[in-house]
Amino acid sequence: MKNRPLACSVALMSSVALGGCGMLPGGDDSVTVTVWLMKDSVSDDFLKRFVSDYKKEHPSVELDIKIQEWTGIGEKVLTALDGGDTPDVIEVGNTQVAQYAESGNLRDLTLESVRDLGSEDWLPGLAQPGSINGAQFGIPWYAANRVVIYNKDLFALAGIEEPPKTRAQWLDDTAELNRGGNQGIYLAGQDWYTLAGFIWDEGGELAVESGGEWQGTVHTPAALRGMDFYKDLQSLGNGPKNSDEAKPPQAEVFAGGDVAQIISTPSSARIIEEKNPELKGRLGFFPIPGKTADKPGAVFTGGSDLIVPKNSSHHSAAVEVVKALVGETWQTDLARTMSYVPNKTTLAGVIRGDASTAAMAEGAARGRATPNSPQWASVEADPIKPYMTAVLEGEDPEESAKTASELISVELLSG
């Protein structure tokens, strides 16, 4: 889920009176709280506002904000959690919390969740993946689900007056858009989040749990129908079959002006307009169409949680930073700045009136989460992505899916 990257990590002085909590030994009344945030999760301007405000409110904490790449982050976080030079707060994908909690190196934040953070109002799609065996390790930060971002000019040029409401109409419209040197849609071959929605729409699942064991199910007839639709849609553009939406960044491809649609979170619109200011005001948004016009397609509820490692040297100071980031003031700012869904249902009103978030909210009504297995993060990369590429490159869908399901089962049992 993710704007303009920072050129380097920024060490920023912020002010906080913590009443002695988290202070360094030897009488030094200042601490450095190291925070890992993911690339493009927040804008530079949001970070500057947050740090400036924190500087006024908290006089004895230095925030060392380090921006991380999503690629390879799982191994990097696990290494950091197990090491001596551990960050104090880490942003993680909501589907990754179980993996990190299994290491035994996360601080249990259940008490803070109930006492200070209003956990009763959290979005289930963020809160549930962060809760492992009744203990809350991941604190919901923001949510977002995918919508279709489209170029209004290219739609008008193709004579399409309004966005499609059904899958069938979507395919027809995209075929019309995919001509004259333009791409009907840019859809990378390994965008498994989008595939998951198509599978769920067909009544399928990625994996199911029975008797405490997970089994891969991408080979079922329903899941195969979802992959078949993905293949049809992906063919109506020049998206690479052997990489995901980050390689190359699909928002930057869209900014070239010859792509009619991408499937992404609304925050990508900001990146597009920064890359190509001529597209400002020319972008539209609609929910991913469903099989019938009465409801949109199913979508993956993505987003990020914040975790505090056990090995943090400054637990109290770290929790204070988390409290600020997930509190109402900065949730409101973040939602409006980045077009995210806030972490609490009680804050839904702060994003009303925005076309992009309206489309996202409509799709969120059919939001889903991935299997809450500690091994799920590794399954995302392999075997699901290679399976998708195999099918798109012409291999037998049933055989490829069967192999993928078997590998998923083995991977989910490995823990």
Side-chain angles (χ1 to χ4, degrees), residues 3-4 6 12-14 42-58 63 65 270 324-325 329-339:
N3 290 352
R4 197 172 49 203
L6 299 184
L12 297 162
M13 289 301 298
S14 96
V42 299
S43 65
D44 289 357
D45 288 342
F46 173 86
L47 263 188
K48 289 175 182 176
R49 287 195 300 273
F50 176 73
V51 171
S52 176
D53 185 81
Y54 211 73
K55 182 176 182 179
K56 295 174 184 176
E57 298 293 330
H58 305 85
L63 293 184
I65 312 270
R270 188 168 290 100
L325 286 169
T329 296
W330 292 103
Q331 279 293 295
T332 300
D333 189 311
L334 185 65
R336 291 174 175 170
T337 299
M338 304 298 298
S339 298

Side-chain angles (χ1 to χ4, degrees), residues 290-363:
K291 297 186 71 176
T292 58
D294 59 323
K295 57 186 178 183
V299 292
F300 165 71
T301 299
S304 286
D305 285 11
L306 299 174
I307 59 175
V308 176
K310 270 188 179 179
N311 289 342
S312 164
S313 300
H314 312 297
H315 282 158
S316 297
V319 171
E320 291 299 316
V321 173
V322 171
K323 287 181 183 178
L325 286 169
V326 305
E328 181 175 352
T329 296
W330 292 103
Q331 279 293 295
T332 300
D333 189 311
L334 185 65
R336 291 174 175 170
T337 299
M338 304 298 298
S339 298
Y340 290 150
V341 177
N343 63 358
K344 292 182 178 179
T345 56
T346 51
L347 295 176
V350 306
I351 55 174
R352 286 181 185 148
D354 181 270
S356 63
T357 50
M360 185 163 59
E362 187 176 346

Side-chain angles (χ1 to χ4, degrees), residues 107-118 139 319 323:
R107 174 169 171 166
D108 183 345
L109 298 171
T110 305
L111 175 61
E112 291 86 348
S113 299
V114 176
R115 182 187 63 196
D116 306 317
L117 302 177
I139 303 302
V319 171
K323 287 181 183 178

